Amino acid sequence: MAFVQQLLSEPSIPPLERQKALDRAFADPGLPTATPTSSFWLRSPHPELATSQSTELPREVEVVIIGSGVTGASIARTLLTSRKLPRRTTSRPTVAILEARDICSGATGRNGGHILETGEEFADLEATHGLDAAKQITKFRLAHLAEMLGVAEHYGLTEQSQARKVKFMSAYFHEGGWMDAKRCIERLKECLPDETREWELLDKVDVLSELCLPQARGIVTGPAGAIWPYRFITGVLGRLKDEFPQDLVIETNTPVTGIQENCGDETSSLRYLVHTTRGPISARHVIHCTNAHASHLIPGLRGRIYPIRGQMSAQHPGDKFPFHGTEHSWIFNYERGFDYLTQLTESDTGKMMMFGGGFAQGEQGGLADLGIAADSELSLYADIHLSGALSAVFGRENWGNVPQPSVESMWTGNMCFSADGFPWVGRLPGSLTRRRGGLGGSEWISAAFSGEGMVMAWFCGKAVGKMLLLDENDLTESESTDLDWLPAQMLITDQRIEKAVLPRH
């Protein structure tokens, strides 16, 4: 998050270009484009769910979830598995997941596949929010690794989704950045000794060369995860569909075009009328899980959350580079900007390097990507950077040659950032939705993970699911009602609505 604020305040940026970026951040992000770039993760669509549609769109459901990525899957799982035993008084489904395009084709199907918390923001969090908050936020993020690997194991998806624990290597190529990182990690280890036993600081020349990072000034290492995100989420949704065939419907290629209060029948418990390109659906609750596109339907969030375009690639490794897919993942921190990398354990095109970033090398230092929700075009400068960085980072003598074209695939995806750097989680007030309040049913949101969705989205979604069940007095007695594990900075409050917004000019 800090790099966005730094970018907006960069004195070399012409005021007109800065204002254009702010105008985009306050604009309607619209619906997902119908012509996205082609993500490597989506090359083998889920055979049952990819284009799943009911013959006829259901006219009534209890809960509409808009979005089929990590967040939507987490909420659906919570609503279906953590509720009291069904008291079916109607035939309508409990949950309908609506997706504008094919299943999981948004940010989750386009990200880096990292489950990664480096801890390198701990000092900034402590300085801004205090030690207790910094510790809670960091623990919250760290908890995602065990949780997501555990969910993959629970549903028998570990091998299929390549879900695995690895050791991340966050390499610094600039002396000043390395010194700052060392101070932060030393403070992190002091404050959270149990959680950071596996963290190490490496800066000996022979060790750096042995790790094929001869130009690095130092490396932070610690536990992380790597996963094929599309296979993981579609696998979870497929298992839920099998387990709850009457209570879960998944409607792909069904964009939501509007939401209004369902005023036709004041006795109905179905408060909302959700308009889609295939017709309307009446629902008691609506949950927004569309991240970069959320403010299309929630106009009061524009400028409080906003899209940023990111870029990813799938690349063949050099013939001298040793296989690391079951051992390591990487972050490359430069004087300006960073990249991220995992290596697949296997795929139909080999042990692919999944390499993303290049934001700071983009047009206007990345400013041209701020406020862009579409994933239909590549950034030329990010393409140039990503296409040539790996052999330089690892050293050409360690990388060798690539016998075929090195880049198998290059694509973009949209992230959603927030003005204060935290996700927005909870019930949406009428001041944001511009829809009136009332009894019975609510709109909810879990969004704006500022590029760190794999260590925030799953538990943010679980929190929203539990909030809704508690609101309906429908949480099973075996589930704790405690939500104190969710950092308070992520909750929606009147004070946050007032303060957490970008400057308009």
Side-chain angles (χ1 to χ4, degrees):
M1 180 57 210
F3 76 89
V4 176
Q5 302 291 16
Q6 181 180 357
L7 181 60
L8 286 169
S9 61
E10 179 66 47
S12 63
I13 297 294
L16 179 60
E17 296 304 322
R18 183 182 296 109
Q19 189 58 53
K20 286 180 180 178
L22 286 170
D23 289 345
R24 291 194 299 269
F26 279 87
D28 181 350
L31 290 168
T33 177
T35 57
T37 52
S38 181
S39 167
F40 179 91
W41 299 119
L42 306 176
R43 63 190 297 125
S44 299
H46 191 283
E48 287 84 34
L49 297 185
T51 58
S52 172
Q53 277 191 2
S54 302
T55 304
E56 184 176 343
L57 193 70
R59 295 306 173 204
E60 294 184 349
V61 298
E62 291 296 319
V63 181
V64 161
I65 297 174
I66 310 173
S68 63
V70 171
T71 314
S74 174
I75 293 172
R77 181 173 185 259
T78 303
L79 293 178
L80 294 169
T81 63
S82 296
R83 59 182 175 161
K84 294 176 182 177
L85 290 175
R87 306 182 305 276
R88 294 188 66 87
T89 58
T90 70
S91 59
R92 58 178 174 254
T94 300
V95 175
I97 295 178
L98 306 183
E99 171 57 55
R101 303 187 301 207
D102 287 0
I103 196 80
C104 198
S105 59
T108 299
R110 297 172 175 275
N111 70 26
H114 258 156
I115 309 172
L116 175 66
E117 170 53 45
T118 63
E120 292 163 5
E121 294 180 357
F122 184 82
D124 290 339
L125 289 171
E126 181 183 8
T128 305
H129 302 283
L131 178 58
D132 289 344
K135 291 166 68 172
Q136 184 188 31
I137 293 164
T138 303
K139 288 180 180 180
F140 176 84
R141 292 163 62 101
L142 289 172
H144 280 74
L145 176 57
E147 176 75 6
M148 295 182 77
L149 295 184
V151 170
E153 183 177 4
H154 174 78
Y155 288 117
L157 300 170
T158 299
E159 182 176 352
Q160 174 186 333
S161 66
Q162 297 190 26
R164 60 207 183 273
K165 183 179 178 181
V166 295
K167 176 182 285 189
F168 77 79
M169 291 193 288
S170 184
Y172 284 82
F173 296 89
H174 180 250
E175 189 67 27
W178 171 236
M179 291 296 102
D180 289 343
K182 283 182 69 174
R183 283 191 291 270
C184 182
I185 297 304
E186 286 167 354
R187 177 60 176 162
L188 172 67
K189 289 177 70 66
E190 177 187 350
C191 296
L192 293 173
D194 293 337
E195 290 81 1
T196 57
R197 287 196 184 98
E198 297 180 65
W199 261 252
E200 294 182 88
L201 296 166
L202 309 175
D203 56 8
K204 294 183 179 179
V205 174
D206 56 340
V207 173
L208 301 178
S209 295
E210 184 181 335
L211 294 171
C212 299
L213 291 165
Q215 301 301 319
R217 296 292 185 269
I219 300 174
V220 179
T221 73
I227 202 166
W228 193 304
Y230 175 83
R231 290 182 179 175
F232 172 65
I233 292 303
T234 55
V236 170
L237 291 175
R239 299 296 193 272
L240 291 174
K241 194 76 174 68
D242 291 341
E243 188 177 354
F244 303 98
Q246 303 302 315
D247 279 315
L248 174 62
V249 294
I250 297 174
E251 305 290 344
T252 66
N253 298 292
T254 307
V256 175
T257 56
I259 301 170
Q260 70 182 81
E261 297 286 338
N262 192 2
C263 301
D265 182 0
E266 294 184 0
T267 65
S268 174
S269 65
L270 304 180
R271 177 179 170 186
Y272 296 102
L273 194 61
V274 179
H275 294 278
T276 81
T277 54
R278 296 172 58 212
I281 303 177
S282 294
R284 180 168 173 81
H285 296 276
V286 177
I287 309 179
H288 298 263
C289 305
T290 52
N291 216 28
H293 295 276
S295 67
H296 175 59
L297 297 170
I298 312 167
L301 280 177
R302 294 171 195 168
R304 292 173 172 83
I305 69 174
Y306 51 92
I308 286 183
R309 180 173 61 183
Q311 196 143 315
M312 265 293 294
S313 68
Q315 302 190 30
H316 297 278
D319 57 10
K320 292 184 179 180
F321 188 70
F323 172 63
H324 288 270
T326 57
E327 298 176 30
H328 295 134
S329 66
W330 301 263
I331 298 287
F332 306 130
N333 302 279
Y334 313 117
E335 183 177 8
R336 186 180 179 90
F338 63 93
D339 299 328
Y340 41 91
L341 173 71
T342 63
Q343 185 174 20
L344 298 184
T345 60
E346 61 178 322
S347 74
D348 57 354
T349 51
K351 295 172 180 178
M352 197 68 68
M353 312 297 289
M354 307 302 290
F355 186 42
F359 179 83
Q361 288 72 37
E363 188 178 350
Q364 301 168 0
L367 191 69
D369 289 308
L370 195 155
I372 302 296
D375 52 17
S376 55
E377 295 181 357
L378 297 177
S379 162
L380 173 62
Y381 298 115
D383 190 341
I384 292 169
H385 169 79
L386 293 174
S387 296
L390 287 176
S391 62
V393 165
F394 287 120
R396 289 175 176 83
E397 68 282 1
N398 298 318
W399 189 250
N401 298 312
V402 182
Q404 66 264 66
S406 60
V407 178
E408 175 75 16
S409 182
M410 184 83 69
W411 65 93
T412 51
N414 51 42
M415 300 170 283
C416 183
F417 280 60
S418 68
D420 62 4
F422 292 107
W424 284 67
V425 180
R427 192 195 308 266
L428 286 162
S431 61
L432 294 178
T433 65
R434 310 285 164 81
R435 290 175 278 276
R436 66 175 176 83
L439 297 175
S442 297
E443 288 185 69
W444 309 78
I445 190 171
S446 178
F449 307 113
S450 297
E452 304 289 346
M454 294 295 276
V455 290
M456 286 198 281
W458 187 268
F459 275 126
C460 285
K462 186 173 183 177
V464 167
K466 290 190 71 171
M467 289 176 190
L468 190 154
L469 290 173
L470 286 167
D471 189 64
E472 294 286 342
N473 191 29
D474 200 24
L475 186 70
T476 179
E477 293 180 0
S478 62
E479 285 277 349
S480 170
T481 60
D482 177 27
L483 281 170
D484 289 344
W485 46 267
L486 180 72
Q489 290 77 12
M490 301 179 184
L491 293 170
I492 300 171
T493 64
D494 291 339
Q495 183 181 30
R496 187 180 183 195
I497 291 170
E498 180 181 353
K499 292 185 176 181
V501 60
L502 290 175
R504 191 64 179 88
H505 300 285

